[in-house]
Amino acid sequence: SSQVNGLSTPKKKDIDSKEKENLWSAILSEVQAQGSTKLPSNKSVLVLGDNASGKTTLIAKLQGVEDPKKGSGLEYAYIDVRDEYRDDLTRLGVWVLDGDPGHVNLLRFALNESNFAHTLVILTLSMTTPWGWLEQLQHYIKILDNHIDTLKIDSEEKQASKQRLITEWQNYCETVDDLDPGSPMKRTNRLSSIDDELDTLPLPEGVLTTNLGLDIVVVVTKTDYMTTLEKELDYRDEHFDFMQQWVRRFCLQYGASLFYTSVKEDKNCDLLYKYLTHRIYGLPFRTPALVVEKDAVLIPAGWDNMKKISILYENMQSCKPDDIYTDIIAQPPSRKTVSNREIEIQTEDEQSFLLRQQQLLMQGQTPTRGESPLRSQSSGGKSTPRTPGSGTSQSSPKKHDGKLNPQTPSGEGVLATFFNSLLHKKPGSPGQTNLTGTSLRTPNGTELTPDKITMRTDAQLELDRLTRSVKKDLDFTQTDC
């Protein structure tokens, strides 16, 4: 420092060094602040939807798992979430509730007072059953509403959750940022310059008329099935537009987002993952709304309104937006018939069976086997399933009685009867041969040559063989009884 008129003044070099020190201190403080901002580990997702709506497959896709394992009741999984800019990693918990109504009581483990403010809800709908969308959404929203009423959440906390949804809807702005995805601006509010103006704007018509305080994403799965609906059920674009406008109006009412996905064709799955991390952790999501492709719709919360939805009305010729949903998207008649189902055969109680056999033996009767339903079906008759404890035996298949007669069902028995009629005639009956010297003649004078006699002897031997074979079959059948 130098003295001027007895006063000391700091040198310019000292001033510059202090400014540099302050600058580096500010940078260091900023880096430390950013480094301490870790991804929270208490966030979770609750997935609700009917069975076979694609819940397990969807979560497995978000996890990067190729071979999903389906469980029952309430399943728990997690999704790895990485913040590439801060090189931070955390796990997002995922609860998947079975569609069975008997498991609704397990919801208290996935959504409770401690994690209510940190939970996002996914409602799944399957494109394979579009006629059930109305009932399914109403069903699970009612389950959520009733469950929230049972939670002992502070009124201020619940009001804060509702206000957060309103603010996020108002703050949405569809812009594609030119910033580098790795920029530290990723967690800043893109609309900070006009926040005050937006906060004063009222919500659009029909938006958040029912505010549960929960962030909701409606996910339509298996959109690749649309082609099947077009081919087999004659669905047209106006049907899909009617379905889309209806579900979009539902999303407006609850402040929900809407995603059409297909794991099979890998449509919108990666975007859904990025959107979830955006809503839960504030990571960037710069993809605008997608409404051009009917099987890959993406509508973030805050983008939609009734005016945009009304664009779909132009293509709806045979139906109106306010028509009853199930009247337009009706469930087709079932293709399965009762005859295609395998008949269930009920087994008889062992003790009842043995008791019945004992009674038949005491009466001197031979126990008979019940008639097989499959045997009855093959013969064209109606089957009567056996019921436990039945006291009467059913008719059994006909058996050989040991005598060869024309009614014997065996083919060999019929053949043996034919040979018997040729060889074993009573004396004096027509066809009986007479022995005269060395030659044999029939009553009509035909001479029997040695060759003919040999043929008749061979026929007799064949008859004996057939008779023994039939008797052996009879003995084997009786042994089985």
Side-chain angles (χ1 to χ4, degrees):
S1 62
S2 60
Q3 292 184 352
V4 178
N5 296 328
L7 298 175
S8 61
T9 58
K11 293 183 178 180
K12 183 178 181 181
K13 184 176 181 180
D14 294 338
I15 296 176
D16 292 341
S17 62
K18 288 183 179 180
E19 289 180 351
K20 288 183 178 180
E21 182 179 352
N22 293 335
L23 177 62
W24 284 111
S25 297
I27 294 175
L28 180 61
S29 299
E30 182 180 356
V31 171
Q32 289 177 342
Q34 292 178 353
S36 62
T37 308
K38 297 291 185 180
L39 292 174
S41 59
N42 60 343
K43 303 294 184 178
S44 62
V45 172
L46 172 62
V47 185
L48 302 176
D50 277 8
N51 291 332
S53 63
K55 301 188 297 293
T56 303
T57 305
L58 177 66
I59 298 303
K61 180 66 175 179
L62 298 179
Q63 290 178 297
V65 178
E66 296 182 356
D67 186 20
K69 298 293 188 298
K70 179 175 174 55
S72 61
L74 182 65
E75 299 178 72
Y76 179 79
Y78 64 86
I79 300 173
D80 290 325
V81 178
R82 176 178 294 277
D83 185 346
E84 296 179 357
Y85 174 71
R86 291 175 175 79
D87 195 21
D88 190 13
L89 178 68
T90 189
R91 287 181 173 179
L92 172 63
V94 180
W95 297 93
V96 182
L97 184 65
D98 195 300
D100 188 344
H103 295 143
V104 174
N105 60 322
L106 300 175
L107 192 58
R108 66 181 185 274
F109 298 105
L111 182 62
N112 47 54
E113 293 84 356
S114 61
N115 66 358
F116 177 81
H118 308 287
T119 300
L120 180 144
V121 178
I122 292 179
L123 300 179
T124 59
L125 302 171
S126 175
M127 187 60 74
T128 59
T129 56
W131 45 85
W133 288 7
L134 171 62
E135 181 183 359
Q136 292 169 24
L137 286 176
Q138 291 178 345
H139 171 70
Y140 289 106
I141 282 294
K142 183 178 180 181
I143 287 178
L144 273 179
D145 195 10
N146 293 340
H147 179 70
I148 293 173
D149 289 340
T150 63
L151 300 180
K152 299 178 180 178
I153 303 176
D154 183 72
S155 58
E156 294 183 0
E157 180 182 353
K158 185 179 292 187
Q159 184 60 35
S161 297
K162 293 182 178 181
Q163 184 59 43
R164 176 180 58 84
L165 293 182
I166 296 175
T167 302
E168 289 181 353
W169 188 283
Q170 292 172 328
N171 287 352
Y172 177 83
C173 181
E174 185 180 45
T175 58
V176 180
D177 294 334
D178 295 328
L179 295 174
D180 181 5
S183 168
M185 293 290 290
K186 68 193 316 180
R187 286 197 185 186
T188 61
N189 193 331
R190 293 173 296 171
L191 305 175
S192 57
S193 61
I194 53 175
D195 275 349
D196 296 337
E197 179 184 353
L198 285 176
D199 287 340
T200 60
L201 296 176
L203 290 172
E205 176 190 359
V207 175
L208 279 171
T209 55
T210 305
N211 192 340
L212 298 180
L214 286 172
D215 209 351
I216 300 175
V217 179
V218 176
V219 179
V220 178
T221 62
K222 307 179 184 180
T223 58
D224 51 276
Y225 196 76
M226 283 183 169
T227 55
T228 304
L229 293 175
E230 291 174 335
K231 293 178 181 178
E232 297 186 0
L233 299 179
D234 196 26
Y235 273 46
R236 300 183 299 276
D237 286 344
E238 62 177 335
H239 291 94
F240 296 118
D241 288 344
F242 179 83
M243 293 155 51
Q244 184 188 138
Q245 65 90 22
W246 188 91
V247 74
R248 282 171 65 177
R249 287 196 295 175
F250 173 89
C251 291
L252 282 184
Q253 181 181 353
Y254 292 92
S257 312
L258 176 63
F259 276 75
Y260 277 33
T261 65
S262 172
V263 174
K264 183 177 179 180
E265 298 182 353
D266 196 16
K267 289 189 176 181
N268 280 355
C269 295
D270 290 340
L271 291 177
L272 176 61
Y273 169 81
K274 292 180 179 180
Y275 186 75
L276 292 178
T277 59
H278 166 69
R279 297 291 292 189
I280 296 172
Y281 299 104
L283 299 182
F285 183 78
R286 299 180 175 86
T287 303
L290 306 175
V291 293
V292 177
E293 297 184 23
K294 62 183 178 182
D295 59 345
V297 176
L298 187 165
I299 300 179
W303 177 85
D304 215 358
N305 56 48
M306 291 301 298
K307 184 177 180 180
K308 294 176 181 178
I309 294 176
S310 64
I311 298 176
L312 296 172
Y313 301 165
E314 300 175 0
N315 192 40
M316 296 163 54
Q317 305 296 330
S318 62
C319 57
K320 298 179 180 179
D322 295 328
D323 286 345
I324 299 176
Y325 183 82
T326 52
D327 287 348
I328 306 302
I329 311 298
Q331 181 175 0
S334 178
R335 301 176 187 176
K336 294 183 179 181
T337 59
V338 178
S339 60
N340 290 336
R341 296 182 180 179
E342 184 178 354
I343 298 177
E344 182 180 0
I345 302 175
Q346 297 181 350
T347 58
E348 184 178 1
D349 180 70
E350 182 181 4
Q351 295 301 320
S352 300
F353 170 76
L354 295 176
L355 180 61
R356 182 162 56 83
Q357 301 304 312
Q358 182 185 26
Q359 293 174 352
L360 293 174
L361 290 173
M362 292 176 63
Q363 296 173 3
Q365 302 179 12
T366 302
T368 58
R369 292 183 298 175
E371 185 176 1
S372 169
L374 296 179
R375 191 181 298 114
S376 299
Q377 291 177 7
S378 63
S379 62
K382 295 182 179 180
S383 62
T384 304
R386 297 176 62 182
T387 56
S390 58
T392 59
S393 61
Q394 299 177 354
S395 60
S396 60
K398 294 181 179 180
K399 301 181 177 62
H400 302 298
D401 56 3
K403 296 182 181 180
L404 299 176
N405 54 67
Q407 285 75 29
T408 305
S410 171
E412 292 187 349
V414 175
L415 186 59
T417 303
F418 170 72
F419 281 115
N420 264 328
S421 65
L422 293 178
L423 300 176
H424 296 283
K425 296 292 184 179
K426 294 182 180 180
S429 61
Q432 179 67 38
T433 58
N434 298 316
L435 184 60
T436 57
T438 58
S439 63
L440 294 174
R441 292 180 180 274
T442 60
N444 59 8
T446 303
E447 182 179 357
L448 294 177
T449 63
D451 291 339
K452 293 182 178 180
I453 294 174
T454 301
M455 291 176 60
R456 294 174 70 88
T457 304
D458 292 341
Q460 178 65 47
L461 293 175
E462 180 66 16
L463 172 63
D464 294 340
R465 187 190 68 78
L466 293 174
T467 303
R468 289 194 300 270
S469 176
V470 171
K471 287 183 178 180
K472 186 182 294 185
D473 291 342
L474 287 172
D475 294 339
F476 180 74
T477 303
Q478 292 176 356
T479 302
D480 287 346
C481 295

